[in-house]
Amino acid sequence: MAERAPAPQIRLEPWADTPEFLELLHRTNAPEMTEHLGGPETAEQVLARHQRYVRLSGSETAQMFGVVLAETGEVAGSIGYWEHEWRGEPGYETGWGVLPAFQGRGIAAAAVAAAAVAAAAAAARAERGHRWLHAFPSVDNLASNALCRRAGFTLVEACDFEYPPGNLMRCNDWRLDLAPRPGEMPVRQG
């Protein structure tokens, strides 16, 4: 049996108005990175998204991060969470993207685990009591659905989801319980 490679060491850096983070958004705007998200955005839409992410810095209800490799300092992707009401219940939603050169190395899994911890901490600090962190990957995005399963999310249902605005897509609703159990960490960490 092959030995499993150690989990990559990453750090999540709060989104900032830096050339590196703006460049990351341009690089993740490629057709192969957006095929399950309605396709690439215009340059103006990418800049507007970057500015929205910068405004989230310091928010109690949302945060975007750059996913940075601890060893090299390379920015490998992004992840974030934000408040989102789903089926009448408040909670958080998460989304991520890892550049193709860094895919298949466990970076997204490490980022999802770290972002879930950050969302649980934010919910506790804000005393909002948000119990769930949802992810809505396209039913056709096999890699993201497998990542949700590995990260401890529970598949709730297939559903229609509008993203980006005006684009209805068929998604899986995955959710992760953020509520701590007696004697346990709030979320599974890897």
Side-chain angles (χ1 to χ4, degrees), residues 28-35 37-43 45-46 49 164:
T28 59
N29 194 42
E32 65 273 13
M33 294 285 299
T34 60
E35 75 175 287
L37 301 172
E41 297 174 310
T42 66
Q45 289 171 315
V46 170
R49 185 159 43 104

Side-chain angles (χ1 to χ4, degrees), residues 36 136-142 145 157-159 169-172:
H36 299 291
F136 295 95
S138 164
V139 295
D140 298 324
N141 189 335
L142 301 179
N145 282 286
E157 65 179 344
C159 59
M169 57 190 282
R170 192 74 178 157
C171 293
N172 283 323

